[in-house]
Amino acid sequence: MVTPLLERRSGQSLEEILAEAQAVVEDADFPTVRRWREAGGKVVGHFQVYFPEEIAHAAGLLPVKVRGARVEARRAEARFGSYLCSILKTSLELALSGRLELDLFVSHPICDAARNLAAVWGRNRSYPSHILYLPQNASSPHAAGYLRGEYDRLRRLVEAVAGRPVTDDDLRRSIAVFNENRRLLRRLYAIRRETPWKLAVHESYALTALAGLVPREEHNALLAEAIPLVEARAAKAQDRIRVVFEGGFCEQPPLDLLRTIGDSCYVVDDDLLIGLRWILEDVDADGDPLANLAHAYLERSTYSPVQHDPRKPKERMLLERIQSSGASAVIVTAAKMCEPGLDEQVAYSRALDEAGIPYFVSEFEERMTTFEHLQVQLETFVENVLFS
């Protein structure tokens, strides 16, 4: 039986559900993780961007998405250079300060800075810290077999933490739970595309981010309750432009930044927390579950600056996202000091220029606290789009 971690009651209004979701997502003390551990559960923390959470879930562990926080990285600053992105330092700070207690940490070599995170983490914490090596050449005919082997290595790691084997049937049951979660998240994003006045980007973000903080069964139940309330929400469309937000694949912008953008635009699609929505379709339930997860990662997935797949040119994928969402403009942003994100800004800008699509370029940091300058710039951009 899954222990409920959210302090919910039956019959909550949509506003109450959204308020609790936002409070939990912004709480740097991770109350849901603390309750899980107090009940005797064990936790696997995984760094951005994608992680096969089904494997940890199948072992009875709670997979928690480590995505930084709005905290002062006093301890972590002594272990990383000042020229690095904020999310690396604040993520480590969560562990060093005891705010986030784990039993296993898994990172990914998504950039030069993140490549060192697992080693630094492991030297400063007593529990194991490992790197999951996703394929660098996703189009290689050997990629699926290689990735299946990495997933099997991960299975052995979580078995050691859980103290029990993870069977194929365990994995199939977890895949079914996560398939349901993916369907619900697709439905949530469909509301954003079709009736964006019913669900603001910061509200959608909070509902999505909870997936990385509670068991998926609990998240599924919450979304199944919240989505009909959103669909029935009495809200009227306003005269706002429809935009895509691109640049939230790793470090996450503050909720207040998303609120500021939502005051001027309808954000109809984005790459925020893209790892939670990486797989676009159901993962096959029959056959080898690890092979099926590997196949889905490679063949049924979206795109990101940290995956290099020549079959999915990121500029083309962005243009397809714009077209499918009916957006008329793009917010092309990147976290400060994020080399992959800043590199892609150049490529995206060139592609948008060639396509004649207006775009707004900006940077953000997870610990930003003032947004007035951004608001003025964005309002000017929106007026230019509306009246050009």
Side-chain angles (χ1 to χ4, degrees):
M1 182 177 179
V2 177
T3 304
L5 301 183
L6 296 172
E7 296 178 337
R8 301 181 61 223
R9 66 179 190 278
S10 61
Q12 281 185 307
S13 68
L14 177 61
E15 285 65 31
E16 289 172 327
I17 293 173
L18 292 172
E20 182 182 12
Q22 292 171 40
V24 170
V25 167
E26 290 192 296
D27 193 333
D29 289 322
F30 294 85
T32 56
V33 180
R34 186 177 64 250
R35 292 181 197 122
W36 177 269
R37 293 183 64 85
E38 289 172 351
K42 294 185 177 181
V43 182
V44 175
H46 56 93
F47 191 65
Q48 302 277 44
V49 170
Y50 173 77
F51 178 78
E53 295 172 290
E54 292 91 337
I55 299 174
H57 179 274
L61 308 178
L62 178 66
V64 171
K65 177 168 275 297
V66 179
R67 50 181 173 80
R70 299 180 73 179
V71 298
E72 290 295 327
R74 293 188 179 92
R75 300 168 183 83
E77 288 281 5
R79 293 160 174 85
F80 279 118
S82 60
Y83 51 85
L84 300 179
C85 60
S86 177
I87 186 175
L88 282 175
K89 291 179 279 190
T90 60
S91 293
L92 181 61
E93 183 70 22
L94 293 173
L96 297 177
S97 64
R99 291 172 180 266
L100 181 61
E101 293 290 344
L102 305 175
D103 298 281
L104 170 67
F105 176 68
V106 181
S107 184
H108 317 279
I110 59 174
C111 65
D112 288 341
R115 190 184 306 274
N116 297 309
L117 180 59
V120 175
W121 200 295
R123 285 199 299 268
N124 289 276
R125 296 287 88 185
S126 59
Y127 50 80
S129 176
H130 291 270
I131 297 176
L132 178 66
Y133 292 97
L134 300 172
Q136 289 298 306
N137 183 4
S139 62
S140 167
H142 306 290
Y146 162 80
L147 185 55
R148 197 247 177 240
E150 275 293 280
Y151 285 177
D152 194 42
R153 181 173 68 87
L154 177 62
R155 170 161 62 176
R156 294 194 296 273
L157 291 175
V158 300
E159 285 176 337
V161 172
R164 70 171 182 84
V166 176
T167 68
D168 284 357
D169 284 340
D170 291 330
L171 287 165
R172 293 187 187 102
R173 284 190 289 269
S174 291
I175 286 171
V177 171
F178 279 74
N179 279 344
E180 176 63 17
N181 191 251
R182 283 183 275 268
R183 287 191 289 268
L184 289 164
L185 287 174
R186 290 197 296 268
R187 188 174 164 192
L188 192 71
Y189 268 72
I191 295 172
R192 291 260 309 281
R193 289 191 301 273
E194 296 163 10
T195 54
W197 51 90
K198 291 188 175 184
L199 187 66
V201 59
H202 70 277
E203 296 172 333
S204 169
Y205 179 91
L207 290 174
T208 302
L210 279 179
L213 296 168
V214 300
R216 273 310 195 284
E217 294 89 342
E218 187 170 357
H219 192 239
N220 288 349
L222 180 140
L223 290 181
E225 181 178 345
I227 288 174
L229 296 176
V230 173
E231 293 172 333
R233 202 176 201 179
K236 295 183 179 180
Q238 298 181 13
D239 187 18
R240 298 181 182 177
I241 67 170
R242 298 167 60 95
V243 303
V244 165
F245 181 98
E246 191 78 14
F249 61 93
C250 186
E251 185 169 326
Q252 299 299 293
L255 275 182
D256 284 341
L257 184 147
L258 297 179
R259 287 190 187 96
T260 299
I261 295 173
D263 288 340
S264 301
C265 316
Y266 287 133
V267 182
V268 292
D269 206 349
D270 59 63
D271 65 344
L272 297 162
L273 295 171
I274 196 64
L276 296 174
R277 300 178 290 117
W278 182 259
I279 296 175
L280 300 174
E281 306 171 18
D282 283 0
V283 177
D284 292 338
D286 299 328
D288 181 346
L290 292 180
N292 292 343
L293 285 169
H295 175 80
Y297 172 83
L298 294 166
E299 307 295 340
R300 300 180 181 180
S301 56
T302 185
Y303 68 99
S304 164
V306 299
Q307 188 201 43
H308 307 286
D309 189 339
R311 301 169 302 171
K312 297 189 293 185
K314 289 177 278 294
E315 298 90 333
R316 189 195 74 199
M317 299 293 283
L318 172 58
L319 294 175
E320 290 178 0
R321 174 174 281 166
I322 296 166
Q323 182 179 18
S324 64
S325 63
S328 59
V330 186
I331 297 174
V332 182
T333 188
K336 292 182 179 180
M337 303 291 182
C338 175
E339 185 175 348
L342 292 169
D343 283 348
E344 290 303 327
Q345 273 192 336
V346 177
Y348 288 150
S349 298
R350 184 182 300 116
L352 293 168
D353 281 333
E354 293 174 354
I357 298 172
Y359 59 94
F360 177 83
V361 176
S362 68
E363 288 184 345
F364 69 87
E365 189 176 42
E366 61 187 357
R367 291 181 287 175
M368 290 173 64
T369 56
T370 59
F371 309 97
E372 290 83 0
H373 187 58
L374 170 67
Q375 185 175 23
V376 171
Q377 290 181 319
L378 189 57
E379 288 173 352
T380 302
F381 169 75
V382 169
E383 288 176 2
N384 287 336
V385 173
L386 285 172
F387 300 112
S388 61

